[in-house]
Amino acid sequence: MADYRLEASWSPVEGSLGRFSFTLFNLSDDPLSGFTLAYKSPARVTGEHAAEGAVLKRRVADFHEVSPPEGLTVKPGDSWQFSVEELTNGPEHVTSGIKSACLTLADGRQVPVSVVDLVHDVAKRGALPEFLPKGQVVEPFSLLPWPLSLAMRPDNVAPVALYPAAGSRPENIEAIAKALALYQRLFPADDVPFSLQPVENGRPIRFKAESSIMPAACELRFTAREIILASDDAAGRFYGLITLAQLLHGARHDAETFQFPVFGNIADQPRYEWRGCHLDVSRQFYPVSDIERLIDILAWNKLNIFHWHLTDDEAWRLEIKAYPELTEIGAKRGPGGVPVSQLHDDAETRSGYYTQDDARRIVAHADALHIDVLPEIDIPGHSAAPLFALPQLIDEQQAPDSCRSVQDYSNNTLNPAIEFTYEFLGKVFDEVVALFPFEYLHIGGDEVPHGCWLASPACKSLMEKEKLADTAELQSHFMRRIKTMLAERSRKLAGWNGVSHGGGVDRDGTLLMAWEKPEVGIELARDGYDIVMAPGQAYYLDMAQAEGENEPGASWACFTPPEKTYAYEAEGELPEELRERIRGIQACIWGVSRANFNRLVFPRLPAVAEAAWTPCLRKDWQRFAAIVRMWPKL
């Protein structure tokens, strides 16, 4: 148990966004004096804040440091109370309160402080609601995402296991072995759906290669004697095996509702080629084992892109051998001289990053499951961590606090007028492309602060030389150079929709993700970009699911219950003539703590998966609700 504990409550105040009240408990055996308290909260105080019982010494984005009244001593068992008003935003959820806290003692030691979820004075505490209905099915088959078409007769008795028919080629036996291993990782306590040898009361799978079947598609034909799995590529074969495993999984777990087919057929193919899930590991670090588990879940849901957000203001998470400082300094989190973190972290200094061997392991794991790994190096904004680690990236002639990002970081943007910026990125890209074979490399490009480079003499000189009207055009100048650097390394540019600002980049070989709102996707498509739809209003899985104060999550985009995520149709937003520009859709997971991960991500991630695979007219919310209860979580 920690020696100190911080509790916070919020109460409404007329004419403002409310009052934060704090109580620090001294649970140690020694009196506490001459200290400062640091806490992190997205409900930031403004420059015109009012504090009672404390003095605000420093604030960096969500990081706040306060000191008690001079001479205050908190005796063992006693507490210190203070409050602040004039917040930038009112805390709407329990996770909007205190993320973490620590004390700096009189002797300079920094010690952790335990924290709890926010208490709303006007909120009624209680069990969190269930957003899934019980659900019901018309056809007794547990398939998610639902296939293009099926016509089958169920059997009351499911086969003991499925196995390769006699004479199966080695690659087909290997495919069954991979699907079997995936199932055992996801459901280690279950009976296995596959065997590599004949099983009494089992059913053989006969594989057929049919060139008329599109990529990643398959057909399954069921008889009492065998199952025929027809496909034209390894991905289609793998998804067919996933379908068989899902059918058997449901028949075993809920035999009153689901059965295994004895006759009939399934024709299945993906709706979109890009079926993605993004994970931010900069703000919230996940161990390799969690990432592999998430990739397994993506495969079970027939998603095929893992977008790995490796860098941001809070931390740089990928080992770069040319610049070890990026992880030695930029991957550290906590109090003191290291970059201050914003979300879900301990108060103690710690480091978390992925070695290049870790990256190779994750890429290989994903590749075996027909998932491509899209690495993201977020530039030119969201770069506080590399700027902290490598001071030579900073324009010393630019004032230290000349601009702030939307997250309230000061000068967090790489300078496009410093040649070392491109030398640095070139070496980073060299190592990244050696680790990640996917044809795209994501370079971020979002939330560059307006006017961020106007205080840099070097940037002003570059703008005059290149006749650039504003910083948006300077960003476009930077992005075009980055796109050329990627092309020299045989990679295409992927980015957020901010890449299009100031004229954007060459549309050929560029893929942009529309995240701010659905209308942005329409604008990008009209401008000639290929797009992935990932609107925060439907597909950001860190958004709270309801307005309730006790719900975890954020709410800047909206509240998104699972039914809304399931019902959203990205294609429906676009005029018919622009729909060919949609490459696919993607869920995004930003800074979600491990404690809240399953509550926020599931069942909304499988809902996105069904939208990515299943034609709109084949979707059914009640059927989805009945099936998704059996699906794996992290």
Side-chain angles (χ1 to χ4, degrees):
M1 184 180 75
D3 286 338
Y4 308 97
R5 179 183 181 88
L6 182 65
E7 295 187 359
S9 64
W10 176 86
S11 55
V13 174
E14 187 175 352
S16 79
L17 291 174
R19 177 187 297 113
F20 248 156
S21 298
F22 300 84
T23 304
L24 176 70
F25 295 91
N26 181 3
L27 306 177
S28 75
D29 297 327
D30 300 311
L32 178 64
S33 62
F35 63 92
T36 60
L37 169 71
Y39 70 88
K40 300 165 202 163
S41 172
R44 309 168 194 145
V45 299
T46 67
E48 289 74 39
H49 71 280
E52 184 176 334
V55 175
L56 180 69
K57 295 184 62 179
R58 179 169 64 122
R59 182 178 70 79
V60 180
D62 294 355
F63 177 91
H64 302 70
E65 186 175 17
V66 297
S67 60
E70 187 173 352
L72 176 74
T73 296
V74 185
K75 297 178 181 179
D78 281 355
S79 62
W80 163 50
Q81 295 181 330
F82 67 96
S83 64
V84 293
E85 291 185 35
E86 298 302 329
L87 308 174
T88 57
N89 52 288
E92 297 176 322
H93 303 282
V94 292
T95 49
S96 302
I98 308 303
K99 303 296 185 185
S100 62
C102 74
L103 285 173
T104 301
L105 303 181
D107 61 6
R109 287 184 297 128
Q110 291 167 324
V111 296
V113 175
S114 65
V115 299
V116 293
D117 283 341
L118 181 66
V119 175
H120 285 69
D121 287 355
V122 297
K124 293 181 179 180
R125 305 290 285 182
L128 292 174
E130 170 67 69
F131 292 108
L132 272 179
K134 181 178 180 182
Q136 58 185 0
V137 299
V138 176
E139 297 164 291
F141 306 112
S142 59
L143 292 173
L144 197 170
W146 196 251
L148 178 66
S149 67
L150 62 78
M152 297 189 295
R153 194 178 87 196
D155 195 351
N156 290 328
V157 180
V160 172
L162 311 176
Y163 56 88
S168 293
R169 296 173 62 86
E171 60 267 25
N172 295 326
I173 297 175
E174 182 182 357
I176 290 181
K178 288 181 178 179
L180 172 58
L182 170 65
Y183 190 90
Q184 288 179 300
R185 293 193 299 269
L186 291 174
F187 307 104
D190 286 10
D191 292 336
V192 295
F194 302 113
S195 171
L196 299 185
Q197 60 184 352
V199 175
E200 187 176 355
N201 296 322
R203 202 178 303 178
I205 305 170
R206 183 159 59 90
F207 294 89
K208 286 187 64 178
E210 295 187 5
S211 59
S212 61
I213 297 177
M214 69 175 287
C218 71
E219 293 182 9
L220 288 162
R221 300 153 195 160
F222 297 85
T223 73
R225 295 181 57 191
E226 68 176 4
I227 300 167
I228 297 172
L229 196 170
S231 62
D232 189 43
D233 63 2
R237 177 180 58 200
F238 177 73
Y239 292 137
L241 291 170
I242 294 296
T243 295
L244 293 173
Q246 290 182 356
L247 287 167
L248 202 48
H249 181 73
R252 289 171 172 174
H253 276 259
D254 186 358
E256 293 184 359
T257 306
F258 301 105
Q259 295 171 294
F260 196 85
V262 65
F263 290 112
N265 61 78
I266 296 174
D268 206 7
Q269 66 186 49
R271 181 180 183 184
Y272 295 117
E273 61 175 308
W274 189 288
R275 307 180 302 281
C277 177
H278 155 287
L279 181 69
D280 168 21
V281 298
S282 176
R283 297 179 178 94
Q284 177 63 51
F285 183 75
Y286 300 85
V288 170
S289 58
D290 278 359
I291 291 180
E292 289 181 326
R293 169 79 179 182
L294 178 61
I295 288 172
D296 284 344
I297 291 169
L298 302 189
W300 181 254
N301 287 279
K302 300 181 181 177
L303 294 165
N304 69 337
I305 303 290
F306 174 56
H307 176 171
W308 202 4
H309 186 87
L310 289 160
T311 75
D312 212 298
D313 288 316
E314 285 85 349
W316 182 288
R317 299 296 191 186
L318 179 65
E319 176 190 22
I320 300 296
K321 294 184 183 298
Y323 299 106
E325 305 96 319
L326 290 171
T327 48
E328 290 173 358
I329 299 173
K332 287 185 178 179
R333 304 269 300 261
V338 302
V340 295
S341 57
Q342 302 304 310
L343 296 171
H344 316 297
D345 208 350
D346 293 331
E348 298 173 313
T349 300
R350 62 175 178 156
S351 180
Y353 67 91
Y354 307 96
T355 67
Q356 295 198 356
D357 283 343
D358 290 336
R360 292 186 189 96
R361 171 179 162 181
I362 287 168
V363 168
H365 185 83
D367 183 66
L369 300 173
H370 300 278
I371 293 172
D372 290 310
V373 180
L374 172 68
E376 180 177 355
I377 304 298
D378 200 352
I379 57 172
H382 289 281
S383 293
L387 286 164
F388 190 90
L390 297 170
Q392 57 267 50
L393 286 167
I394 299 171
D395 180 359
E396 294 181 351
Q397 294 183 316
Q398 182 174 355
D401 195 17
S402 55
C403 74
R404 287 189 171 272
S405 71
V406 66
Q407 288 82 17
D408 210 30
Y409 276 94
S410 174
N411 293 15
N412 71 332
T413 307
L414 296 180
N415 192 307
I418 295 178
E419 197 57 30
F420 181 67
T421 295
Y422 304 97
E423 177 185 337
F424 160 71
L425 291 174
K427 291 181 179 179
V428 169
F429 292 157
D430 285 341
E431 297 192 32
V432 170
V433 301
L435 295 170
F436 299 94
F438 191 38
E439 62 179 322
Y440 285 97
L441 197 161
H442 200 292
I443 49 75
D446 61 319
E447 296 183 325
V448 174
H450 179 70
C452 63
W453 294 303
L454 294 181
S456 166
C459 284
K460 293 177 74 172
S461 176
L462 178 61
M463 292 171 67
E464 292 173 4
K465 177 183 175 183
E466 299 294 334
K467 296 181 172 55
L468 305 174
D470 53 28
T471 52
E473 290 191 10
L474 180 55
Q475 176 185 339
S476 176
H477 173 84
F478 171 83
M479 287 296 176
R480 290 195 297 271
R481 187 164 174 180
I482 295 302
K483 183 174 173 64
T484 298
M485 293 172 66
L486 294 181
E488 292 170 350
R489 293 160 175 82
S490 301
R491 292 295 184 271
K492 298 176 183 177
L493 185 151
W496 303 107
N497 52 251
V499 171
S500 67
H501 296 169
V505 297
D506 182 6
R507 279 56 170 166
D508 185 38
T510 297
L511 182 68
L512 299 188
M513 298 178 176
W515 66 273
E516 289 181 87
K517 54 186 177 180
E519 293 81 1
V520 170
I522 299 174
E523 295 167 6
L524 292 173
R526 284 191 175 130
D527 203 16
Y529 288 103
D530 286 344
I531 58 172
V532 170
M533 294 293 283
Q537 294 75 14
Y539 290 166
Y540 268 37
L541 305 188
D542 54 307
M543 293 296 108
Q545 297 179 81
E547 292 188 53
E549 295 91 344
N550 296 334
E551 282 291 332
S555 55
W556 62 262
C558 64
F559 305 105
T560 314
E563 186 173 7
K564 179 180 177 182
T565 296
Y566 185 82
Y568 176 74
E569 275 295 314
E571 197 170 288
E573 304 282 347
L574 286 168
E576 186 71 34
E577 67 274 12
L578 298 179
R579 290 183 181 178
E580 64 179 13
R581 289 289 179 190
I582 294 187
R583 291 278 302 280
I585 63 176
Q586 179 168 292
C588 293
I589 304 169
W590 293 99
V592 175
S593 72
R594 189 63 178 81
N596 292 319
F597 195 94
N598 285 339
R599 171 73 180 176
L600 289 169
V601 173
F602 303 102
R604 294 189 293 184
L605 179 60
V608 177
E610 184 144 296
W613 185 277
T614 306
C616 175
L617 295 179
R618 298 285 288 163
K619 291 165 62 178
D620 183 310
W621 168 244
Q622 290 293 330
R623 180 190 63 221
F624 171 86
I627 296 170
V628 78
R629 297 176 182 279
M630 299 181 292
W631 257 224
K633 299 180 180 180
L634 197 64

